[in-house]
Amino acid sequence: MRSIVCVKRVPETPTFEIVPPTGLRFREGTNFAMNAFDEFAVEEALQQKDKHGGEVVALSLGPAENEKILKDCLAMGATGAFRLWDPEFGGGDPFATAYLLSLAIRKLGDFDLVFCGREAIDGQSGLVGPLLARALGATPITYLAKIREIDLSGRTLVVERQLEGGREVLKARLPAVLCCTKDINHPRYPSLLGIRKAAKVEVPVWGVAELGADAARIGAAGARLRVESVAPPPARAGGELLAGDAEQVTDALVERILGLKIL
Amino acid sequence: MSRIARVWVVVEYAKAGILGTSFEALGIARDLCADGGVTAVVLGEKVAHLAPRFFPYGADRVLAVEDARLKVYRTEPYASALAALARARGPQLVLFPGSTRGRDASAALAAELGAPLVVDASDIRVEDGEPVFTRPSFGGNLFSTIRAVGVGPRLATVRARAFPMPTATDGRSGDVETVAPTIDDAAIRTEVLGFEAETGSVVNLVDANVIVSGGRGLGKPENFSLVRDLADAVGGAVGASRAVVDAGWIPYVHQVGQTGRTVKPKLYIACGISGAIQHLAGMRTSDTIIAINKDASAPIFKVATWGVVGDLFEIVPLLTKKIRARLGK
């Protein structure tokens, strides 16, 4: 079985200052790491490899700093990794990202499954997976909570999707793009041996030329959405600490809750 | 303010009924759109009979897209049918409810049409005949104002509870058109085998008016009963912090925060939650927030409308008892 896993490097906390009109400056000490949802995607790809054999190739789009999360994938057990970057890729939107990932995946050849996270915790659009599926002619499967079975010879899989109020059981054709939610598995820690081996791997970088990318579809030029300004969330009105013993504060809370007239 | 000529709202309809955010989307469509231009689009096997439900909330016409292949929601036939209709009729703006299904359908349609999609819009206004969107990211810590580039329809999902529920205008009516869609059979790659509904307490956090959440301060998993009892008394859903979900005290579907659900209830009651930045990201836009925590320096108090510094084991059961008494439960 051949799987691809797409990972993004994100700030773990929203600790930034706004630089008008649309820039962000992250505070010193802000930790950047693999997007939390992508860790579940990597783990799921590896678990399926353990079951069905084959390979897991990790892809990440971004500058040199992104090499760290690709090494993390290798240390966990991925069999290969490629970084997609060219200065011209900067300023792209999910359409451009999905386009570039699709070029890289096609360049790698046949595949059965592509694993992504449900969404990135920074941009939170959850668009790259579905857009990538369309670009590859693969089945888009969002909100993946469990893989029940994969039938490689019949070219199908059965999955559970976490939706509001329950889980949908879906049979789908391969190849598919799977967008993983959090409760699908518990990501493994890289082994010491894995970390040592990953440190020695040279991660190739593919740019515009290697991917044969159309300049009109990448970077700021290819973006379909333009951010005009950014702002912090509206400040909350100052809160009130309720004083008194348990009887007094609960009396005060009951009055206030009932005063909202929503129960 | 100039207005948009043709706005579609793809309403969500399933066994459970019509999703509330569908009406919120109709309300904003009504505000953005020129008179006579709001179309509610409903897809299913037999759905034309639902039309009277949409007129009072702002629809000028209802497009009932009926086909046996649309009986149960699936990404590909829905996207295929919507794409063919959008190409033929040229809506300028297509809105979806911000549910898992609305997000799924809108993304597939955007892919199919190559159309720009704004996910999770919390505000939409019109400038020079163009929709201008605001959406949160970084767990509600950044609000971006966004405009789409190029030609063709603009798509957006509407964040649940970000727009007011419109008031129904009785007696309002309009045209109902039933269409048999063009669906590319070759594009259908899935089959729904079943749906396993969650049982027990309400866990649909996104739709809940009231959420009572518990965190580490509960001490051990068994103590979640305090949170469940209060949720039961106020008719709310049960939420949880990431720490207790990761510790296995309660399933992931309850998690509020950056890697869980983003919620915006009318009332959020946080019990024993210190308020890690990832948790605040998921609930800070709630209308009213009550925090009960023994540590006065906990960050949760920075977003709380009303805070109580004290022992939750004493306060929460007492609050439950008093609310039950007042509501006659």
Side-chain angles (χ1 to χ4, degrees):
Chain A
M1 194 171 75
R2 191 118 188 281
S3 294
I4 313 290
V5 60
C6 305
V7 295
K8 184 179 182 185
R9 179 178 178 268
V10 298
E12 288 192 312
T13 50
T15 37
F16 52 73
E17 279 131 43
I18 290 170
V19 184
T22 60
L24 298 181
R25 186 188 304 122
F26 285 88
R27 273 181 228 141
E28 210 171 309
T30 302
N31 194 37
F32 284 75
M34 192 190 307
N35 174 42
F37 288 112
D38 299 349
E39 291 181 15
F40 301 101
V42 176
E43 176 61 33
E44 196 58 29
L46 294 173
Q47 287 191 10
Q48 298 304 324
K49 176 175 88 75
D50 293 345
K51 259 186 218 156
H52 301 276
E55 52 181 314
V56 172
V57 179
L59 298 178
S60 186
L61 188 151
E65 292 84 354
N66 281 49
E67 185 159 306
K68 167 75 171 73
I69 60 170
L70 287 169
K71 295 259 175 167
D72 291 344
C73 294
L74 291 166
M76 286 171 76
T79 53
F82 295 85
R83 184 163 65 84
L84 316 183
W85 189 245
D86 208 303
E88 290 173 54
F89 294 174
D93 67 0
F95 277 88
T97 303
Y99 168 65
L100 290 165
L101 287 169
S102 77
L103 294 179
I105 293 168
R106 286 189 189 280
K107 187 177 163 89
L108 289 166
D110 289 337
F111 66 95
D112 300 294
L113 292 170
V114 177
F115 292 85
C116 300
R118 182 186 98 185
E119 63 188 37
I121 63 166
D122 54 357
Q124 295 192 298
S125 76
L127 279 178
V128 170
L131 295 176
L132 181 56
R134 181 69 174 78
L136 293 169
T139 316
I141 300 179
T142 52
Y143 304 103
L144 180 80
K146 186 178 183 173
I147 295 178
R148 285 195 178 178
E149 56 181 71
I150 298 175
D151 176 358
L152 284 171
S153 52
R155 303 300 293 159
T156 59
L157 81 166
V158 177
V159 300
E160 294 176 16
R161 297 175 65 224
Q162 181 65 54
L163 307 179
E164 291 91 353
R167 285 188 177 196
E168 177 189 87
V169 184
L170 188 76
K171 184 174 181 184
R173 281 180 17 213
L174 294 174
V177 175
L178 307 172
C179 306
C180 302
T181 63
K182 176 177 161 166
D183 52 351
I184 188 166
N185 55 42
H186 297 282
R188 68 193 67 184
Y189 291 101
S191 66
L192 212 55
L193 183 66
I195 294 170
R196 274 200 213 121
K197 277 166 80 178
K200 290 180 197 145
V201 177
E202 191 95 355
V203 177
V205 182
W206 287 347
V208 172
E210 288 81 4
L211 293 171
D214 174 357
R217 296 185 64 183
I218 60 172
R224 299 301 317 274
L225 299 174
R226 191 174 65 221
V227 177
E228 299 201 321
S229 63
V230 294
R236 291 195 70 89
E240 180 194 357
L241 275 187
L242 305 182
D245 62 19
E247 282 294 340
Q248 290 166 321
V249 293
T250 50
D251 279 340
L253 279 179
V254 169
E255 290 313 317
R256 283 169 163 82
I257 290 170
L258 296 177
L260 296 171
K261 301 199 187 306
I262 54 168
L263 300 192
Chain B
M1 169 170 102
S2 56
R3 291 181 171 221
I4 301 171
R6 290 179 304 283
V7 179
W8 286 9
V9 176
V10 181
V11 298
E12 183 166 332
Y13 166 71
K15 244 185 228 160
I18 299 165
L19 184 76
T21 316
S22 303
F23 297 110
E24 295 160 17
L26 277 171
I28 182 72
R30 175 75 280 148
D31 289 346
L32 299 171
C33 188
D35 287 342
V38 177
T39 301
V41 183
V42 54
L43 299 92
E45 190 176 29
K46 285 279 168 221
V47 285
H49 66 280
L50 296 167
R53 302 278 305 275
F54 305 118
F55 295 124
Y57 294 96
D60 297 306
R61 51 189 293 125
V62 171
L63 200 53
V65 186
E66 298 189 340
D67 190 295
R69 289 167 292 182
L70 301 174
K71 184 174 183 182
V72 180
Y73 174 82
R74 281 179 298 169
T75 314
E76 322 89 82
Y78 268 61
S80 179
L82 283 169
L85 283 166
R87 282 194 189 104
R89 299 175 183 227
Q92 287 141 312
L93 175 63
V94 184
L95 302 178
F96 294 79
S99 56
T100 53
R101 186 190 294 181
R103 285 180 75 153
D104 185 80
S106 59
L109 182 61
E112 190 69 34
L113 295 174
L117 165 60
V118 175
V119 177
D120 217 16
S122 60
D123 188 37
I124 310 173
R125 58 179 202 277
V126 184
E127 274 176 25
D128 314 321
E130 266 286 316
V132 178
F133 307 89
T134 301
R135 75 174 292 264
S137 58
F138 290 93
N141 284 278
L142 187 73
F143 284 76
S144 305
T145 301
I146 298 170
R147 222 183 253 262
V149 182
V151 294
R154 280 75 169 102
L155 316 184
T157 63
V158 166
R159 189 178 200 197
R161 311 173 73 87
F163 299 93
M165 181 76 177
T167 340
T169 309
D170 291 333
R172 223 174 154 273
S173 159
D175 293 336
V176 184
E177 184 188 351
T178 304
V179 290
T182 311
I183 295 173
D184 177 10
D185 266 319
I188 301 182
R189 299 172 57 88
T190 55
E191 180 191 346
V192 176
L193 302 180
F195 190 82
E196 296 176 351
E198 276 147 16
T199 50
S201 59
V202 187
V203 290
N204 190 355
L205 294 171
V206 176
D207 273 348
N209 263 328
V210 182
I211 295 173
V212 185
S213 280
R216 279 267 188 222
L218 289 166
K220 53 184 180 179
E222 299 79 59
N223 291 339
F224 243 99
S225 61
L226 299 179
V227 168
R228 289 182 205 283
D229 288 347
L230 180 55
D232 180 62
V234 295
V238 173
S241 70
R242 172 177 152 179
V244 295
V245 169
D246 286 356
W249 293 9
I250 186 164
Y252 170 61
V253 288
H254 294 271
Q255 187 183 322
V256 172
Q258 212 164 6
T259 55
R261 288 285 171 212
T262 299
V263 298
K264 192 180 181 296
K266 291 191 169 124
L267 174 61
Y268 189 92
I269 307 179
C271 308
I273 292 178
S274 63
I277 198 159
Q278 292 90 345
H279 187 77
L280 300 184
M283 44 66 76
R284 61 173 299 149
T285 59
S286 304
D287 292 352
T288 300
I289 297 170
I290 294 176
I292 303 166
N293 200 301
K294 65 172 192 254
D295 176 8
S297 66
I300 191 80
F301 289 116
K302 290 198 183 115
V303 301
T305 318
W306 302 311
V308 175
V309 178
D311 179 6
L312 73 88
F313 297 102
E314 189 182 4
I315 289 157
V316 174
L318 198 55
L319 183 59
T320 304
K321 191 176 128 199
K322 287 180 180 175
I323 285 181
R324 282 213 171 109
R326 285 288 291 272
L327 295 176
K329 279 190 184 175

